Amino acid sequence: MTTLQLKNIVKRYKSQTVLDDLSLDVADGERLVLFGPSGAGKTVLLRLVAGVIDPDEGRVLIGGEDMTEVDAEHRGVGMAFQNFALFPHMNAFDNIASALTARRSSKEAIAAGVGKVAKLLKIDHVLSHHPKALSNGQKQRTALARALVGSPPLLLLDDPLRNVDAKLRFEMRLELPRLLAAQGATVIYVTQDYKEAMALGDRIAVMFEGRLRQIGTPADIYNTPAEIEIARLFGDPTINLLDVVPQRGPDGVFVEVSGVRLRLPGFGAEIVGKSCVLGIRPESIAFTEASTPGAIPVKVEAETPLNEKTVTLTLTARGREILVSRPAGTPGPVAGPAHLSVNNRATLLFDKESGRLMRPSEIASKRNGEAA
Amino acid sequence: MEAMSPLERVLRGIALTLVVVFFMFPIVWILLMSFQTNETILRIPPSVVFTPTLDNYAALITGKLQTAAGTLDIAFMRNLGNSVFLSVVSVAVALLLGVPAAYAFARHKFKGSEDIAFTLLSFRFAPPLLVLLPLTQYFQWLGLSNTYFGLIWVYQLICLPLILWIVRGYFEDISADVEYAYRIAGHSWFATFRKIALPLAGPGIAAAGLLAFIFAWNNFVFALVLASADKQPVTVGALAFVTASGIQYGQIAAAIVLSITPTLALALYAQRYLVEGLSLGAVKG
């Protein structure tokens, strides 16, 4: 059964269309991550589901029931806000309990419910504090507790880790999946952080400018991003994007990078002469010997050691930048000339004009098989 | 605060004293006058040395004004009572009407909402004299002249716009998300208004109420024209001290002291809210 169905949602503010004919199904118990840059309409979409904003067109169905005209308090969803939105004049206990008091539960039941969720989120020792006496992390947990305490079947989390520091964000990113799984609720999670999206989502819905651009498993989105923009947003360091024009060679279609031919297996003659963008993930490139066939000569510009990997910025003869990523501790050149080899099975080819991924039919089906 | 040099501290003290003396002098002088007889007040040159007397206050409280021409009845205590009643009820009515309206204007942008809000504010722009003549006529036709009901109605011209606009700024300052959160938690919009919006805008409502009270208390012209002696507030009642046998300065001073006491006490008590409230409203764009 689907918990949430959005049908052809349109939302305009003045003349600006914020959500443009958006449809989405979320299955029971699924964790869907809504990912996109700021201004994409993610938060508006979430509020529309919660019922605090009305759509101009389209229907919102929750648990199969049409809730489009139903007020927020009768929709039975839980929501955590990016800015926490705690009630400043109530202590943490009353903040969390607010989701239970509306149901006229008994005092004991409320205390028990709040105690349980507070313990789960490790804030049981600060329940008597007012929000201004709470640390950012505690505020965020209180806001989360308030969303969870009523065990709503649909949980909306609007970038809850945005306003907490990096350490806490990392902790919560590990803790949240367990927590959400224990709730058994259907979750819509909004974020701008692709790592969070990959870590938390059963599926990721990528949104730009009020439209859903791609929906798929994290692996799908990473391996076969539907558009250049999506490829650019997923991955750190950013994917290398090179303007190329495919040409016909004796053993299939190829593109030229720094005078070296890079074969594009699976592509046919239909793309020859077309303006394209070649996407190569930094981890699909490795340093190699000059003698290796197909090695691309480059100059090493700078090396950035990160904890678990080392990222090297290289320049081709024509001045194009290529980032190379390798596991930390493996040897590699620090300066001067070097050579790169590209795993051409892992390259992505985009139509430059439309920005859409071009996929040869046999390759696409094979990749999908691997991902599943 | 940073440490100041002794010279700076002295200069600062002198400057502050000057300002305080300048603004407080009239009040101090009135206070001194209220304990003097007309003769000592009118001495030339004036002096701060005198034998204090409570006659002025006694005359006001008993309602018997002793003048050279004989004893006059004055209704000062009744005027004071009228002032308290009119101001309190006017502010209460204005809060009852203005706070929900302010919430509506702050949260729900409906067609023409800005125009309505501005029209209400414009009541404060127009000089009262402009509306006084037609108002008097209407009130006579309607039978509202010289009634508390009519006066309180007219006082809404003073109180309502003030409360509406100050409180509206406060409601706008409350993050909408906080209210959304309460709605989503399962509470009706009315519960949200009562449990979230009202408490959070509390200081602003208190400040606006206080200010409206002071404006209502100080009103002169509406009460002068629309009410006769038994319904008049102190501002109008003080005219009774201009008698045939001269102006009773001592009693006027005592009357002024008595009539500013309630507002002064209120303002001192709520000073913090008042400053906070007004400056918050000012900062809000």
Side-chain angles (χ1 to χ4, degrees):
Chain A
M1 197 185 101
T2 49
T3 294
L4 175 71
Q5 271 181 291
L6 299 176
K7 291 186 176 169
N8 309 98
I9 298 285
V10 177
K11 180 69 193 173
R12 299 182 199 90
Y13 283 111
K14 302 255 164 70
S15 58
Q16 204 193 348
T17 305
V18 184
L19 295 176
D20 191 1
D21 193 21
L22 190 144
S23 297
L24 177 66
D25 283 7
V26 186
D28 225 8
E30 184 181 11
R31 279 205 309 268
L32 179 88
V33 171
L34 213 52
F35 173 89
S38 48
K42 309 182 298 286
T43 297
V44 174
L45 184 66
L46 219 54
R47 282 163 192 222
L48 222 130
V49 174
V52 292
I53 299 179
D54 293 327
D56 293 323
E57 290 169 34
R59 316 302 299 171
V60 178
L61 277 73
I62 299 174
E65 261 182 86
D66 190 335
M67 292 276 193
T68 318
E69 316 287 336
V70 176
D71 282 338
E73 63 264 32
H74 302 303
R75 291 198 183 187
V77 303
M79 180 159 175
F81 289 79
Q82 190 195 104
N83 56 12
F84 313 138
L86 296 174
F87 314 128
H89 57 306
M90 298 182 190
N91 64 22
F93 181 92
D94 289 333
N95 262 284
I96 299 170
S98 67
L100 298 175
T101 51
R103 302 183 192 170
R104 314 236 171 276
S105 312
S106 70
K107 270 214 164 70
E108 296 76 40
I110 290 174
V114 173
K116 197 173 140 219
V117 74
K119 200 161 180 153
L120 196 68
L121 284 160
K122 299 171 196 145
I123 45 168
D124 37 346
H125 58 292
V126 293
L127 283 179
S128 61
H129 294 204
H130 276 70
K132 68 170 185 283
L134 296 175
S135 72
N136 254 5
Q138 288 164 342
K139 279 184 203 162
Q140 187 258 323
R141 281 162 187 267
T142 307
L144 214 53
R146 186 176 63 188
L148 292 175
V149 71
S151 306
L154 178 60
L155 200 55
L156 309 172
L157 305 178
D158 187 359
D159 216 343
L161 303 188
R162 181 76 171 293
N163 289 338
V164 297
D165 59 73
K167 183 173 169 288
L168 196 71
R169 198 177 312 147
F170 185 73
E171 264 176 46
M172 286 303 284
R173 207 186 284 156
L174 292 177
E175 200 178 326
L176 263 179
R178 182 181 60 82
L179 213 77
L180 297 177
Q183 284 279 317
T186 308
V187 179
I188 302 183
Y189 187 105
V190 163
T191 183
Q192 295 190 25
D193 179 339
Y194 91 93
K195 284 183 184 160
E196 226 167 278
M198 305 268 290
L200 292 170
D202 294 330
R203 280 195 306 161
I204 299 174
V206 184
M207 221 175 141
F208 293 139
E209 290 159 358
R211 285 168 178 274
L212 286 180
R213 299 304 178 92
Q214 188 176 9
I215 304 181
T217 63
D220 270 350
I221 305 251
Y222 191 81
N223 293 329
T224 53
E227 294 174 32
I228 293 182
E229 271 311 303
I230 300 172
R232 201 177 273 156
L233 287 170
F234 281 79
D236 177 32
T238 319
I239 191 167
N240 294 297
L241 295 166
L242 306 171
D243 287 348
V244 292
V245 178
Q247 298 167 44
R248 194 195 307 270
D251 47 357
V253 181
F254 69 91
V255 294
E256 225 177 55
V257 177
S258 251
V260 177
R261 291 181 171 193
L262 203 61
R263 236 164 51 74
L264 296 176
F267 281 100
E270 72 279 0
I271 61 164
V272 170
K274 210 171 157 113
S275 274
C276 292
V277 174
L278 184 70
I280 316 169
R281 297 271 179 207
E283 63 269 24
S284 307
I285 310 176
F287 287 107
T288 181
E289 299 300 319
S291 56
T292 315
I296 302 166
V298 290
K299 194 159 80 66
V300 174
E301 276 293 296
E303 192 186 60
T304 314
L306 302 171
N307 279 335
E308 73 288 3
K309 64 191 164 207
T310 304
V311 178
T312 313
L313 173 64
T314 63
L315 284 183
T316 65
R318 276 175 52 203
R320 297 210 276 201
E321 294 183 351
I322 297 179
L323 289 170
V324 182
S325 169
R326 64 175 199 273
T330 50
V334 183
H339 286 80
L340 302 177
S341 75
V342 172
N343 173 6
N344 63 359
R345 297 241 154 229
T347 57
L348 298 162
L349 194 66
F350 299 96
D351 183 335
K352 189 170 184 192
E353 205 181 325
S354 70
R356 300 201 68 80
L357 181 70
M358 306 204 292
R359 38 178 117 197
S361 48
E362 71 265 38
I363 297 260
S365 57
K366 197 171 152 222
R367 276 224 186 104
N368 281 346
E370 280 166 14
Chain B
M1 200 186 287
E2 280 183 43
M4 285 186 295
S5 72
L7 182 68
E8 255 182 308
R9 209 171 303 153
V10 170
L11 288 177
R12 202 184 155 87
I14 293 174
L16 281 174
T17 313
L18 277 177
V19 171
V20 170
V21 166
F22 182 80
F23 283 106
M24 292 304 287
F25 181 75
I27 294 174
V28 172
W29 198 247
I30 283 283
L31 194 67
L32 292 178
M33 275 169 74
S34 72
F35 293 107
Q36 302 177 47
T37 60
N38 244 13
E39 291 75 54
T40 49
I41 291 168
L42 296 171
R43 262 182 317 189
I44 292 175
S47 160
V48 289
V49 185
F50 59 88
T51 334
T53 165
L54 286 173
D55 287 353
N56 296 324
Y57 290 98
L60 291 176
I61 290 163
T62 56
K64 299 279 181 233
L65 192 58
Q66 308 289 337
T67 67
T71 306
L72 264 175
D73 281 338
I74 49 160
F76 180 76
M77 290 318 280
R78 182 168 178 104
N79 293 149
L80 199 62
N82 284 342
S83 269
V84 172
F85 178 75
L86 286 173
S87 303
V88 167
V89 177
S90 296
V91 170
V93 170
L95 283 175
L96 222 57
L97 297 174
V99 171
Y103 186 69
F105 285 128
R107 279 287 176 259
H108 305 284
K109 301 288 173 216
F110 47 90
K111 207 169 152 54
S113 64
E114 279 308 309
D115 300 328
I116 297 172
F118 189 79
T119 306
L120 285 167
L121 182 66
S122 71
F123 294 158
R124 293 288 299 151
F125 303 159
L129 287 173
L130 196 71
V131 291
L132 211 53
L133 189 66
L135 210 58
T136 318
Q137 297 226 300
Y138 284 141
F139 268 43
Q140 263 155 16
W141 292 334
L142 293 169
L144 285 174
S145 55
N146 198 28
T147 58
Y148 286 124
F149 183 83
L151 275 178
I152 288 165
W153 193 348
V154 174
Y155 273 31
Q156 296 310 312
L157 284 179
I158 303 165
C159 300
L160 198 56
L162 207 66
I163 285 174
L164 193 76
W165 277 78
I166 295 179
V167 175
R168 177 190 178 176
Y170 268 85
F171 282 137
E172 278 171 352
D173 280 350
I174 301 171
S175 154
D177 283 351
V178 171
E179 291 183 23
Y180 289 159
Y182 204 65
R183 286 295 296 275
I184 293 169
H187 301 268
S188 67
W189 70 264
F190 186 70
T192 308
F193 172 66
R194 225 162 43 86
K195 293 282 176 57
I196 303 294
L198 275 188
L200 290 181
I205 295 170
L210 191 71
L211 213 61
F213 181 86
I214 292 170
F215 274 91
W217 185 276
N218 290 344
N219 181 264
F220 174 74
V221 73
F222 285 130
L224 175 70
V225 176
L226 296 173
S228 62
D230 64 325
K231 305 279 192 314
Q232 276 169 351
V234 279
T235 43
V236 182
L239 285 177
F241 300 113
V242 184
T243 65
S245 59
I247 300 169
Q248 305 300 314
Y249 288 106
Q251 275 98 2
I252 292 181
I256 288 171
V257 170
L258 282 182
S259 64
I260 62 173
T261 307
T263 41
L264 196 68
L266 253 180
L268 282 178
Y269 169 72
Q271 196 183 27
R272 202 163 48 89
Y273 294 123
L274 201 63
V275 173
E276 214 175 63
L278 293 180
S279 55
L280 248 181
V283 170
K284 174 95 186 74

